[in-house]
Amino acid sequence: MSLLLQVNQIYKEFLGVTAVNNLTFSVHGGETFGLLGPNGAGKTTAMRMIMNIIAPDQGTVLLNDEARAKIPNHRFGYLPEERGLYPGANVLEMLTYFGTLNNLSKRKAEVEAIRFLDRLGMVDFTDRKINQLSKGMQQKIQFVAAFLHDPDVLILDEPFSGLDPINQIVLREILEEYKKKNKILIISTHQMEQAEKLCDHICLINQGKVILEGNLNTLKRKNRENAYLLSSDEDLSFLKDFSELTILEEGNNTYKFALNDSKLSVSGILKKVEAQANIRKFEMMEPSLHDIFIQKVQEENGGQA
Amino acid sequence: MKNLFRIARWEFITRFRSRSFLFNTFVSPLLFTAVITLPIFFFNYTPEVSTKLVGVIDLSGKNLAKDLQKQLNRYYRLDNQSREYVVLKVSVDNSMPYNEALSEYKEAVAYKDSVTAVFNQIKRQRSEYYKNTKIPNRDYFLKTSYEKLQTSREEKELAEIELSHYKASLDSLYKREAQKMADSLLISDVLNAYLLFPDDFTRRGHLEYHSKNPGDLRETERFEKILQTIIIEKRMLEDRVARPKIKRWLSSISIQKYQLMPQGQTEWNFYAQFYGPLIGVFLLFMAIFTSGGYLFSSVLLEKSNRVIEILLSYASSRQLMGGKILGLGFLGLVQVLTWIFITALFAASDIIPVDKINYLSLANAFYFLLYFSLGFLFYGAIFITVGSISSNEYDAQQINQLLRTVAIFPVLLSLVVLAEPNAPFIQALSYIPFLTPSFMIMRIPLSSVPLTMDIYITVGIMIISIIAVILLAGRTFRVATLMQGKRASFSEVLQWIRVK
Ligand SMILES: Nc1ncnc2c1ncn2[C@@H]1O[C@H](COP(=O)(O)OP(=O)(O)OP(=O)(O)O)[C@@H](O)[C@H]1O
Ligand SMILES: [Mg+2]
């Protein structure tokens, strides 16, 4: 039976401040769900509610139509945003402890811990104390703690922060592998490239409310904005005088622009440019998640102001 | 439920293996006990280990040494019943100057005796001449014998004066030589002290006490007391009071100290009675604040390094709190049982005389465990609340310090408790949950009446307070532990308590 996590109209308020405002989404097994949004948007709060660390004031979280509070915790795995471990504890002993808290036998927990540590290139550190490890290593230990017990729903709050590029790749590989088991993965991140590479489905929230939600590819297509990129070795500032286009971004003789009328063809413009400068690169822009994020959040905040 | 035990096990094991637990279980109680009991040993026991030699220089000629010895034997005996003091007459037999003076004195005595004999003979002759009127030449004889009598009387008086000079110089020589001897014996630690009785001792009652430490009040008091009776006896003899009468008048009193105990009368040993409960309070305090302190730092640590969030995603906050209380409470029990076991071991090997210290009983061991458990739960719940509310370690440690001060406060009143364990205000103070364990652990062994009623009342009060603080802790724990960065205001704390 395939998995389905439903978040229905969850609402949370802290001392008068609304942190999460009627958030609704659902995630299927095998899907990676990205919870995106600016600082203070309510991502961590939403995740904590899914993890049943805090209870929503209103709304429900269901896994296969079962209320979250009734589901044993070991079907969920969580990497909190704030990283921290017992500084004086022994790596393997602590991971085994966490494993047993999630209903693994001591033996099984030990085996799994060593397997994952090996995978992350840390098998030599099993007998070290936590405070003898670097910050990145400690973070890897935390990953192991989150998916040691092979949960059905894995929630990672900003998993990539603090990892070097190589470890980011290793982590992504592990997550891809996990996804293949048709399980649910929810991540939040501020690194849009990572989200783009990993997520199938995203939900952009701001001030506790959804402002954009859906399949990543669909969203991209919807937000295609007739934008083009032009760059040259020479000065292109004369582009600003062209009435048929709007400059979106500029920098270093590279300009990103959109046509004011989608019926216009770009070839006319290209000809006009070629007359004045050599074109080094020209391409049609697919909107990046980064652009969508910035555009939507600015729209949202601008609209409110 | 299983997670509760897993958490308990983890808390127990990680703390049990820590160095601080070892320190708090063995080193600090030992240090405390040593510091508190060392003075007793110095003050009370060391001087009595062996028999003491006391020298006597007696110029009074009343054979005081013998009387002194007799009286000392009567009052002071060592544990093995042999006498504590041995009186020794300081001898000058080996002193050259004294022996010379002595022989001169003896010559003078002999001379005086011979002169006296001559004088007496002349006197006798003359009285015969007086009585017998028929003797021829009686007048002549009377006349010449009178001259003889005069000269021999003069000789005799001169000899007597001379003899008294000899006697005086012999006495002062004796005093000097004997003291020289006694001092050297004192220096070489043969004598513990010596007493010098002047010739007018019985009249004036004045004597000298020489020792390396004349400040030793206990010794001088003993001699004063004994010599007082001796001198009174001598004076009575001088006044010709009949011996049987003297004996009756001077028959001594003796005080044996008893404390009324429920089990009947038992000999009262001040130090054991006082220091025992004091050590008891200290141990109780140690136990509560060792494991309670771990509870506190564990909450604080998990909050500050955010492990709390991982744990809360695996287990409920109730399991987490319950697990901590269970695990660390068990750790405290292990500590207390270790002490009870060590005490039992000491008792079995006769290092502690259990039969003389009647509060070392199984019942009191039970009360110790009882009040430890109550105190731990009470303070532990408060620690959890404080640990989860406070945002930084510094604030938290200050509150911790305050609680410790409150809990140890009864020790300051220990002297009052010792004098009157059931005074109304002590009783009232022991109903305050913060003070209950400390006060009760002192009162139970010290009280002469069973405190059954008070035990029921205080246990009741403690249980009610524990339920209240645990509810409070449970409510603040979950909400407050996720907060971070800023210090919680009082109104926020109130809000958390209301939050479901
Ligand atoms: N325990 C709490 N008590 C009070 N307010 C809180 C608490 N947790 C979060 N908030 C508030 O709720 C709002 C959402 O916070 P949240 O941590 O969910 O944001 P976020 O999207 O994770 O932000 P970031 O990207 O910075 O991690 C913020 O305004 C925050 O101040
Ligand atoms: Mg966050």
Side-chain angles (χ1 to χ4, degrees):
Chain A
M1 179 183 162
S2 85
L3 291 165
L4 175 66
L5 179 80
Q6 288 168 292
V7 173
N8 291 322
Q9 300 283 316
I10 51 170
Y11 178 89
K12 184 76 193 181
E13 193 181 287
F14 291 107
L15 309 169
V17 179
T18 307
V20 172
N21 195 350
N22 294 330
L23 187 63
T24 302
F25 60 82
S26 55
V27 193
H28 293 272
E31 226 177 14
T32 303
F33 186 86
L35 199 55
L36 311 178
N39 293 126
K43 304 181 295 289
T44 301
T45 309
M47 289 180 156
R48 281 178 179 166
M49 284 190 280
I50 299 171
M51 284 311 298
N52 200 27
I53 295 174
I54 51 178
D57 296 343
Q58 290 160 29
T60 50
V61 175
L62 305 173
L63 180 66
N64 289 349
D65 295 324
E66 217 180 323
R68 174 61 182 93
K70 298 219 176 85
I71 305 169
N73 279 325
H74 63 82
R75 291 187 63 189
F76 289 75
Y78 181 47
L79 174 75
E81 171 179 36
E82 301 265 356
R83 309 293 148 72
L85 295 163
Y86 293 108
N90 170 294
V91 170
L92 189 60
E93 275 177 24
M94 193 195 64
L95 284 176
T96 311
Y97 170 52
F98 287 163
T100 55
L101 281 182
N102 281 310
N103 256 1
L104 292 185
S105 72
K106 192 162 177 278
R107 183 94 196 90
K108 172 95 172 138
E110 245 169 36
V111 170
E112 288 295 307
I114 291 174
R115 199 166 70 82
F116 276 111
L117 287 172
D118 187 32
R119 186 77 192 278
L120 288 163
M122 290 198 51
V123 79
D124 293 340
F125 296 93
T126 47
D127 286 326
R128 288 285 189 89
K129 280 190 172 178
I130 297 290
N131 54 13
Q132 293 168 342
L133 303 179
S134 79
K135 184 165 173 280
M137 289 172 172
Q138 294 189 20
Q139 189 158 342
K140 288 199 254 176
I141 306 283
Q142 286 212 307
F143 289 130
V144 178
F147 43 64
L148 184 66
H149 54 289
D150 195 26
D152 289 334
V153 180
L154 182 58
I155 298 181
L156 308 175
D157 203 346
E158 298 184 19
F160 296 104
S161 71
L163 284 189
D164 65 37
I166 295 169
N167 279 313
Q168 292 194 5
I169 293 171
V170 174
L171 177 63
R172 227 173 45 229
E173 278 171 16
I174 294 180
L175 294 182
E176 292 290 351
E177 192 179 298
Y178 173 82
K179 231 164 85 177
K180 287 204 191 95
K181 292 196 261 184
N182 276 329
K183 301 202 170 186
I184 291 173
L185 177 62
I186 300 178
I187 64 165
S188 88
T189 180
H190 291 298
Q191 283 166 277
M192 294 303 147
E193 325 84 77
Q194 295 289 0
E196 221 163 332
K197 282 178 198 149
L198 204 60
C199 298
D200 312 300
H201 201 107
I202 61 143
C203 177
L204 183 59
I205 60 173
N206 189 26
Q207 296 180 345
K209 277 190 297 206
V210 182
I211 53 174
L212 193 68
E213 198 240 314
N215 184 281
L216 185 62
N217 293 329
T218 328
L219 281 178
K220 274 188 168 181
R221 219 174 306 128
K222 252 203 254 169
N223 284 277
R224 193 174 285 163
E225 42 185 2
N226 274 330
Y228 300 90
L229 186 95
L230 190 63
S231 82
S232 164
D233 298 328
E234 291 158 73
D235 185 33
L236 286 177
S237 56
F238 55 85
L239 273 178
K240 284 177 190 159
D241 305 328
F242 289 17
S243 57
E244 57 269 55
L245 51 84
T246 311
I247 308 285
L248 297 174
E249 269 176 52
E250 61 170 286
N252 216 353
N253 292 336
T254 302
Y255 284 79
K256 199 172 131 190
F257 61 88
L259 294 180
N260 291 341
D261 187 347
S262 56
K263 281 163 208 136
L264 274 174
S265 104
V266 272
S267 53
I269 292 168
L270 281 178
K271 269 181 199 145
K272 277 163 83 180
V273 174
E274 270 187 317
Q276 295 181 53
N278 278 328
I279 294 172
R280 188 160 53 92
K281 186 176 165 196
F282 172 78
E283 67 184 19
M284 188 175 135
M285 288 289 295
E286 179 85 325
S288 70
L289 198 50
H290 181 253
D291 297 331
I292 298 174
F293 182 96
I294 291 176
Q295 191 196 339
K296 289 290 168 185
V297 171
Q298 273 173 353
E299 254 172 44
E300 187 78 8
N301 290 348
Q304 277 190 354
Chain B
M1 202 54 192
K2 269 188 192 162
N3 273 353
L4 189 141
F5 290 110
R6 289 174 186 139
I7 292 166
R9 188 170 165 274
W10 171 261
E11 294 286 342
F12 177 82
I13 288 181
T14 46
R15 299 298 179 164
F16 183 75
R17 280 190 283 180
S18 71
R19 235 170 285 152
S20 83
F21 179 71
L22 217 65
F23 186 85
N24 287 336
T25 308
F26 297 104
V27 182
S28 24
L30 197 78
L31 273 179
F32 181 80
T33 311
V35 165
I36 217 170
T37 48
L38 268 183
I40 311 178
F41 283 108
F42 281 128
F43 188 59
N44 218 19
Y45 294 113
T46 350
E48 275 176 321
V49 210
S50 61
T51 305
K52 279 170 278 191
L53 278 181
V54 178
V56 163
I57 300 172
D58 187 0
L59 304 176
S60 72
K62 295 270 186 337
N63 209 355
L64 290 164
K66 204 178 117 223
D67 294 321
L68 189 62
Q69 181 72 74
K70 214 168 80 190
Q71 295 293 333
L72 284 172
N73 288 352
R74 222 164 105 193
Y75 287 106
Y76 305 112
R77 296 224 164 239
L78 292 178
D79 287 343
N80 59 10
Q81 289 307 306
S82 67
R83 52 194 179 169
E84 187 178 339
Y85 297 95
V86 169
V87 178
L88 195 81
K89 263 176 117 168
V90 177
S91 151
V92 287
D93 291 349
N94 296 326
S95 154
M96 275 290 286
Y98 180 76
N99 284 337
E100 275 171 22
L102 189 66
S103 64
E104 277 174 22
Y105 172 72
K106 278 181 180 156
E107 271 171 31
V109 172
Y111 175 68
K112 196 209 92 177
D113 285 348
S114 70
V115 175
T116 312
V118 171
F119 173 75
N120 286 344
Q121 200 203 339
I122 295 170
K123 245 170 98 177
R124 229 181 301 118
Q125 263 181 355
R126 272 177 60 86
S127 61
E128 259 170 48
Y129 294 147
Y130 272 119
K131 278 184 247 159
N132 198 343
T133 47
K134 287 169 192 148
I135 287 174
N137 287 338
R138 181 173 169 249
D139 283 343
Y140 170 76
F141 277 126
L142 272 176
K143 203 173 157 202
T144 51
S145 72
Y146 178 74
E147 278 160 21
K148 271 189 196 159
L149 188 69
Q150 287 298 342
T151 47
S152 75
R153 171 180 286 151
E154 259 167 44
E155 274 176 6
K156 181 187 147 237
E157 277 171 1
L158 275 175
E160 274 171 356
I161 290 169
E162 208 170 336
L163 187 66
S164 77
H165 282 306
Y166 275 117
K167 168 86 173 121
S169 76
L170 187 71
D171 279 353
S172 74
L173 189 67
Y174 174 78
K175 187 182 165 193
R176 216 168 41 241
E177 288 298 304
Q179 234 182 315
K180 215 156 73 189
M181 187 73 200
D183 282 341
S184 71
L185 289 174
L186 208 55
I187 285 163
S188 54
D189 284 325
V190 177
L191 290 181
N192 287 67
Y194 69 86
L195 302 169
L196 194 147
F197 297 97
D199 48 3
D200 54 0
F201 171 68
T202 42
R203 198 158 43 79
R204 289 184 51 222
H206 176 83
L207 79 152
E208 291 172 19
Y209 176 82
H210 295 252
S211 114
K212 275 185 174 170
N213 49 339
D216 191 343
L217 289 177
R218 213 186 56 151
E219 296 283 294
T220 46
E221 257 167 37
R222 284 179 170 188
F223 287 118
E224 215 175 307
K225 177 183 144 200
I226 282 180
L227 288 167
Q228 188 72 54
T229 36
I230 292 176
I231 202 169
I232 289 174
E233 191 181 340
K234 296 273 179 222
R235 286 171 183 162
M236 283 173 159
L237 278 173
E238 274 174 13
D239 290 351
R240 293 171 211 244
V241 181
R243 273 185 189 277
K245 254 188 189 170
I246 295 176
K247 213 167 191 169
R248 193 148 42 78
W249 290 351
L250 286 183
S251 68
S252 63
I253 59 151
S254 74
I255 297 175
Q256 189 110 35
K257 291 165 189 172
Y258 291 96
Q259 186 197 20
L260 194 63
M261 281 291 179
Q263 307 91 314
Q265 298 201 328
T266 328
E267 203 173 334
W268 158 258
N269 179 326
F270 176 81
Y271 295 107
Q273 289 294 343
F274 178 57
Y275 285 108
L278 202 62
I279 292 170
V281 183
F282 175 77
L283 290 180
L284 186 78
F285 174 82
M286 279 295 297
I288 290 176
F289 282 83
T290 301
S291 40
Y294 287 152
L295 200 54
F296 178 67
S297 61
S298 150
V299 171
L300 209 60
L301 179 86
E302 284 174 5
K303 197 192 160 193
S304 69
N305 67 19
R306 311 310 298 161
V307 175
I308 193 83
E309 225 172 319
I310 300 183
L311 293 173
L312 283 179
S313 75
Y314 298 158
S316 72
S317 70
R318 223 171 257 155
Q319 288 173 335
L320 194 53
M321 199 173 102
K324 283 181 189 304
I325 293 180
L326 185 71
L328 295 173
F330 189 66
L331 185 75
L333 280 183
V334 167
Q335 193 175 38
V336 170
L337 289 172
T338 309
W339 294 334
I340 291 178
F341 177 73
I342 291 175
T343 313
L345 216 62
F346 278 176
S349 54
D350 276 343
I351 297 173
I352 305 175
V354 195
D355 44 327
K356 283 193 192 150
I357 308 175
N358 50 41
Y359 56 72
L360 287 180
S361 64
L362 269 182
N364 284 349
F366 165 75
Y367 287 130
F368 195 91
L369 280 174
L370 176 71
Y371 282 101
F372 159 73
S373 310
L374 294 171
F376 168 76
L377 288 174
F378 179 73
Y379 276 104
I382 292 177
F383 275 143
I384 288 182
T385 314
V386 173
S388 51
I389 289 176
S390 40
S391 62
N392 64 56
E393 203 144 335
Y394 180 74
D395 286 356
Q397 290 303 350
Q398 276 187 321
I399 299 175
N400 184 354
Q401 207 55 48
L402 179 76
L403 287 174
R404 276 166 196 259
T405 315
V406 169
I408 201 73
F409 160 77
V411 171
L412 299 180
L413 290 180
S414 53
L415 273 175
V416 186
V417 181
L418 175 74
E420 218 179 327
N422 296 324
F425 89 100
I426 296 285
Q427 196 174 9
L429 284 177
S430 54
Y431 292 162
I432 301 173
F434 288 93
L435 308 177
T436 300
S438 308
F439 268 124
M440 290 307 285
I441 224 63
M442 276 198 287
R443 287 180 60 201
I444 290 173
L446 288 175
S447 172
S448 50
V449 291
L451 290 178
T452 324
M453 204 53 221
D454 265 7
I455 289 170
Y456 286 142
I457 293 172
T458 52
V459 169
I461 291 174
M462 285 306 284
I463 286 174
I464 292 168
S465 326
I466 287 166
I467 291 172
V469 284
I470 283 195
L471 284 179
L472 179 80
R475 286 183 165 222
T476 45
F477 184 68
R478 166 164 228 154
V479 197
T481 41
L482 290 176
M483 281 291 288
Q484 62 204 87
K486 62 180 180 140
R487 190 197 306 227
S489 73
F490 185 66
S491 63
E492 279 172 340
V493 174
L494 280 186
Q495 192 132 3
W496 293 335
I497 297 168
R498 272 188 240 117
V499 163
K500 61 161 174 24

